[in-house]
Amino acid sequence: MTEYQNILRNINRYVELNEQDEQEFTSIIKTSSVKKRQFIVQPNFVCEFQTYVEKGAFRSYFVSDEGEDHTIQFAIEDWFISDFNSYISQEPASLFVEALEDGIIHQIAYQDVENLCEKNPKFERFFRLVAQKSFAYAQKRVLSNLGKSAEARYIEFQAQYPTIVQRVPQYALASYLGMSAEFLSKIRKRLSKA
Amino acid sequence: MTEYQNILRNINRYVELNEQDEQEFTSIIKTSSVKKRQFIVQPNFVCEFQTYVEKGAFRSYFVSDEGEDHTIQFAIEDWFISDFNSYISQEPASLFVEALEDGIIHQIAYQDVENLCEKNPKFERFFRLVAQKSFAYAQKRVLSNLGKSAEARYIEFQAQYPTIVQRVPQYALASYLGMSAEFLSKIRKRLSKA
DNA sequence: AAATGTTCTTGAACTAGTTCAAGATTTTAT
DNA sequence: ATAAAATCTTGAACTAGTTCAAGAACATTT
C-alpha cells in the first residue's frame, strides 16, 4: 500500500490510469501535515493549490464586511478543498481554509495541473468531470435548502452527513447552515426533547 | 457572417478552433426559436441539452415544496443555460427553464458533447474551462451576497447587471435575490425617493 | 490539578423581511 | 379598442430568526 493509494483510487473513479499516468500524477503531489487551527488558505494570498484531504477535517469560510463568518464547505477524508475561485483565476483568495483537526494533505499546484492536463488528456478529462460534478453538486446544495426553515435545513444536513455533524464545531455548522450559533443550539434542544 | 458566429466566438475565447474544429462543433448544434413563456426544460424530464442564447432572455427556477419559486439563473445573449445537474447526470430535472421573451437558441445534446470531447481534446479543454469558470462564478455569487441585507443585494445586482434588471419581471428578480416580490417593490420605492 | 481559552446554552428584547389582501397599472390577445 | 390576464404597489399584522449578555461546560496548556 502506497502513500498515494487513496487519492489515486479517487481519480480512478473517473478515468483509468495506467502506471505511467499514475507516476505523472504522483510526481506533482506535495504532501504535508497540518495542525488543528492552521490555515492552508488565507485572504489576499493566491490559493496556489488544490488540497486533497488524506486525514483530518477542514472548513473553508468567508468573513463578511460585518465580521460574521460563513462556512462554505467542509472537507474530510477523500475530499478536495480550496478557494476554487482564487485557484482557477490565480488571483488573491477571499476565503480561509482552516484545519479543524490535525491532519495530512496532498496538494497539487495550479501550474503543475495545467501542464499535466496539456500533456495528458486523461487528466484534462478528469478535471473536467470533477469541475462539472462540483458545480452540479454546489447547485444541488443550494436547491435543497431553498425555502426551508432553519430547523429543516439542520435536520436534512444531519440526516445526510451525520459524521460531519459530530466532527465539526457547532458554530461552524451553524454558519454553514446559514443561522446564528445560538439559534442552532435552540433547535438542537427542541429536537432532543421531542 | 454565419449563423454560428456568436457561439463560435464564445468558444474561441477559451481555445483556438481551426475550420475543421468549427465544423465538428457546428455539426452538432440544433437551432430553434422559442416564444415568451415557453419552457425549454421542465422538472421530471431529463435536460438533454445545454442551451446557448443567441437572442432573448431566459431564467431557470426551482419551485419548492411550499410552492414558492426561486430563480437560479438569468441568461441573455451569449450565455449558456440549463439544469446543469440534470444535464450532467442525465437524470430528471428539478428546474424549469423558461423564456422571458421570444428568442433564438442553439442547443447541443449531452451525448454529442461527450463524443466530441472524446474525439477532440480541444473540446474536452473548452468544457473543462467553462465548467470550472461556472463553478467559480457560482461560488462568487454566493459569497458576494452573504451577510448582506435585501436592499444591499438589490443595489449590487442593479449596479452589476443593469440590463437584466430592466429586462426581467420584478417577481423573477425578487426570487433571484431571495426576497418577496412585495419587499422588492418597497425597496425600490424607498430608493427612488432617496 | 489549576488556570486559561474555547465552545455551548439560555432567556429577553428586538427587527428585517413575510404574508395577506385589495386595488392600480401594464401587457397581451381578440 | 376592449377585455382579460399578468404584474406591481401599498399598508397592516405578524414571525422566524437575530442580537446581546452572562453563565455553564468542555478542552487545552502549564
Side-chain angles (χ1 to χ4, degrees):
Chain A
M1 99 138 210
T2 116
E3 188 181 359
Y4 301 125
Q5 205 189 30
N6 295 327
I7 189 169
L8 288 171
R9 189 177 337 108
N10 185 306
I11 298 174
N12 269 295
R13 287 208 290 272
Y14 297 90
V15 289
E16 259 185 63
L17 300 184
N18 59 36
E19 283 210 3
Q20 162 72 12
D21 299 325
E22 294 197 345
Q23 151 59 20
E24 280 176 12
F25 185 79
T26 55
S27 76
I28 67 169
I29 295 178
K30 287 156 187 158
T31 298
S32 15
S33 61
V34 290
K35 283 284 178 196
K36 185 169 175 174
R37 279 186 199 90
Q38 188 178 328
F39 294 108
I40 61 173
V41 176
Q42 266 175 295
N44 303 319
F45 295 85
V46 172
C47 175
E48 209 193 325
F49 303 100
Q50 285 210 252
T51 297
Y52 172 87
V53 181
E54 176 70 33
K55 182 93 195 60
F58 293 78
R59 69 165 178 142
S60 64
Y61 66 98
F62 174 71
V63 179
S64 68
D65 300 341
E66 297 73 31
E68 313 151 314
D69 66 83
H70 301 271
T71 298
I72 308 301
Q73 197 203 332
F74 292 112
I76 57 175
E77 287 79 15
D78 203 37
W79 285 76
F80 281 89
I81 194 165
S82 66
D83 178 337
F84 196 71
N85 216 345
S86 165
Y87 171 81
I88 278 306
S89 63
Q90 289 295 104
E91 285 168 12
S94 41
L95 304 183
F96 293 91
V97 177
E98 181 193 20
L100 298 170
E101 309 170 354
D102 294 356
I104 297 167
I105 58 183
H106 299 309
Q107 296 188 301
I108 52 180
Y110 177 78
Q111 202 48 65
D112 291 338
V113 169
E114 290 300 307
N115 294 343
L116 185 62
C117 285
E118 217 150 326
K119 190 161 73 179
N120 186 336
K122 277 189 197 169
F123 291 104
E124 192 81 78
R125 181 171 190 79
F126 168 69
F127 285 103
R128 172 174 73 92
L129 296 175
V130 165
Q132 289 182 336
K133 204 180 137 188
S134 308
F135 179 46
Y137 177 86
Q139 283 224 161
K140 206 170 183 172
R141 178 198 159 191
V142 171
L143 290 192
S144 76
N145 286 331
L146 281 173
K148 299 231 164 75
S149 69
E151 178 169 323
R153 276 176 272 144
Y154 169 69
I155 290 173
E156 282 197 10
F157 187 82
Q158 149 74 25
Q160 202 167 3
Y161 303 101
T163 24
I164 291 191
V165 173
Q166 265 150 20
R167 225 166 137 178
V168 134
Q170 199 159 90
Y171 62 85
L173 180 56
S175 88
Y176 180 87
L177 294 173
M179 66 187 79
S180 69
E182 293 94 328
F183 197 57
L184 178 52
S185 172
K186 284 164 199 176
I187 286 172
R188 282 182 137 167
K189 188 184 184 191
R190 210 190 296 154
L191 291 173
S192 70
K193 285 199 234 168
Chain B
M1 100 134 207
T2 117
E3 189 181 358
Y4 301 126
Q5 203 189 33
N6 294 326
I7 189 169
L8 289 171
R9 188 176 338 108
N10 185 305
I11 299 174
N12 269 293
R13 287 207 290 272
Y14 297 90
V15 288
E16 259 186 63
L17 301 184
N18 59 36
E19 284 210 3
Q20 162 72 11
D21 299 325
E22 294 196 347
Q23 152 58 21
E24 281 176 11
F25 186 79
T26 55
S27 76
I28 66 169
I29 295 179
K30 288 155 187 158
T31 298
S32 15
S33 61
V34 291
K35 282 286 180 194
K36 185 168 176 174
R37 278 186 201 91
Q38 189 178 326
F39 293 109
I40 60 173
V41 176
Q42 266 175 294
N44 303 320
F45 295 84
V46 171
C47 176
E48 208 193 326
F49 304 100
Q50 286 209 254
T51 297
Y52 172 87
V53 182
E54 177 70 34
K55 183 90 194 59
F58 293 78
R59 70 165 178 142
S60 64
Y61 66 99
F62 174 72
V63 179
S64 68
D65 300 341
E66 296 75 31
E68 314 152 313
D69 66 84
H70 301 271
T71 299
I72 308 302
Q73 196 202 333
F74 293 111
I76 57 174
E77 288 78 16
D78 203 37
W79 285 76
F80 281 89
I81 194 166
S82 67
D83 178 338
F84 196 71
N85 216 342
S86 165
Y87 171 82
I88 278 307
S89 63
Q90 290 295 102
E91 285 168 11
S94 41
L95 303 184
F96 293 89
V97 177
E98 181 194 20
L100 299 170
E101 309 170 355
D102 295 355
I104 297 167
I105 58 183
H106 298 310
Q107 296 188 301
I108 51 179
Y110 177 77
Q111 202 48 65
D112 292 338
V113 170
E114 290 301 306
N115 294 343
L116 184 62
C117 285
E118 217 150 324
K119 190 161 72 178
N120 186 335
K122 276 189 198 170
F123 291 104
E124 192 82 78
R125 182 172 190 80
F126 168 69
F127 285 103
R128 172 173 72 94
L129 296 176
V130 165
Q132 289 182 335
K133 204 180 136 188
S134 308
F135 179 46
Y137 177 86
Q139 283 224 161
K140 207 170 182 171
R141 179 199 159 190
V142 171
L143 290 192
S144 76
N145 286 331
L146 282 173
K148 297 230 166 73
S149 70
E151 178 169 324
R153 276 176 273 146
Y154 170 68
I155 290 173
E156 282 197 8
F157 188 81
Q158 149 74 25
Q160 203 168 2
Y161 303 101
T163 24
I164 291 190
V165 172
Q166 267 150 20
R167 228 166 135 176
V168 134
Q170 199 161 90
Y171 63 84
L173 180 55
S175 87
Y176 180 87
L177 294 174
M179 66 187 78
S180 68
E182 293 93 328
F183 197 56
L184 178 52
S185 173
K186 284 164 199 173
I187 286 172
R188 282 181 138 168
K189 187 182 185 191
R190 211 191 295 155
L191 291 173
S192 71
K193 284 198 234 169

